[in-house]
Amino acid sequence: MKVLLVNGGPHKNGCTYTALCEIARGLEEQGVESEIYFIENAPLRDCIGCLSCKKSGICVFDDCVNEFTAKAAKADGFVFASPVYYAHPTGKLLSFMDRAFYSGARHFAFKPAAAIFSARRAGSVASMDVVNKYFSIASMPIVSSTYWNHVFGKAPEDVLKDEEGMMTMFNLGKNMGWLIKCIAAAGIPHPENQKINTNFIK
Ligand SMILES: Cc1cc2nc3c(=O)[nH]c(=O)nc-3n(C[C@H](O)[C@H](O)[C@H](O)COP(=O)(O)O)c2cc1C
């Protein structure tokens, strides 16, 4: 059992990473493996709405998004993480998720997910709202913790001092590990959901 922990910030070993490491520790306590996936700091294409993925199942731009969705197919859960930028997630994370979810929704469905944020001061709850929407449109159970999913800091040392934030991350990891094990133990096939796609005016 494995969880992919996505760092959508620009700092490979920054505050967001520090929070993800604490989630990894919680998962490990539950006997669940994890991998931190850093979205490279290179220009990332936005979704251009070409719909070619509807036929091919992969994004037309063959970059880290296709690499990630291939990993996602084998994963059991996900955490998407970002620093807060102007009270929202990074543009990089949103471009990445638009393309990964549009081309690879089937790899995410019925797998537990959570969104976490690192902020110097404010904007993490508004950011959670944005990322949780990807999960709730993709049949993904959203995993919660014991407080809002955020840590405070401008540098990793600050995050390590945020005792409550780190506790929230640790508890989130444990909760996710527990849910993944429950799903595996139950072995209940997931529902075959209908797919009706109507425009508003037809
Ligand atoms: C462009 C930019 C915008 C930011 N906007 C916010 C903000 O709205 N609220 C906030 O609390 N911190 C904001 N910050 C600070 C970062 O969210 C914060 O330092 C974060 O912990 C850095 O995480 P990282 O080390 O993983 O990059 C901003 C930083 C940058 C570079």
Side-chain angles (χ1 to χ4, degrees):
M1 284 174 278
K2 187 167 178 179
V3 174
L4 291 176
L5 307 172
V6 180
N7 180 357
H11 301 118
K12 198 168 187 178
N13 299 307
C15 300
T16 308
Y17 167 82
T18 306
L20 287 175
C21 289
E22 196 61 5
I23 296 177
R25 202 168 72 82
L27 286 163
E28 196 182 344
E29 204 200 75
Q30 289 291 309
V32 174
E33 221 188 305
S34 63
E35 176 187 334
I36 296 183
Y37 184 91
F38 178 67
I39 306 171
E40 57 195 273
N41 277 329
L44 188 71
R45 299 296 301 248
D46 285 320
C47 177
I48 58 164
C50 67
L51 303 185
S52 74
C53 61
K54 294 289 157 213
K55 281 189 192 150
S56 67
I58 55 168
C59 184
V60 70
F61 302 123
D62 196 20
D63 58 12
C64 60
V65 170
N66 286 344
E67 176 195 72
F68 177 76
T69 49
K71 276 178 181 284
K74 296 184 205 140
D76 302 290
F78 304 90
V79 176
F80 289 90
S82 173
V84 169
Y85 278 9
Y86 292 95
H88 57 63
T90 59
K92 178 167 82 163
L93 184 68
L94 297 184
S95 294
F96 184 84
M97 291 185 78
D98 282 355
R99 289 175 49 212
F101 275 70
Y102 213 64
S103 62
R106 65 197 178 284
H107 301 315
F108 298 101
F110 305 105
K111 297 177 181 176
I116 67 130
F117 294 89
S118 178
R120 190 188 63 77
R121 195 155 182 86
S124 44
V125 175
S127 303
M128 270 177 77
D129 184 49
V130 174
V131 176
N132 281 340
K133 283 174 183 148
Y134 289 86
F135 311 145
S136 59
I137 203 172
S139 299
M140 299 172 85
I142 296 175
V143 179
S144 58
S145 185
T146 44
Y147 197 69
W148 305 117
N149 294 350
H150 68 174
V151 292
F152 284 120
K154 202 174 173 192
E157 310 83 83
D158 305 327
V159 174
L160 292 172
K161 282 191 234 147
D162 176 9
E163 206 179 326
E164 188 171 350
M166 291 296 267
M167 175 205 70
T168 306
M169 297 300 124
F170 187 53
N171 290 343
L172 180 66
K174 287 190 288 183
N175 286 353
M176 179 166 284
W178 170 77
L179 183 60
I180 286 171
K181 288 193 292 183
C182 289
I183 292 170
I188 301 168
H190 61 72
E192 289 303 325
N193 289 333
Q194 274 189 304
K195 285 203 177 83
I196 298 171
N197 219 332
T198 53
N199 293 338
F200 187 63
I201 303 167
K202 255 190 181 163

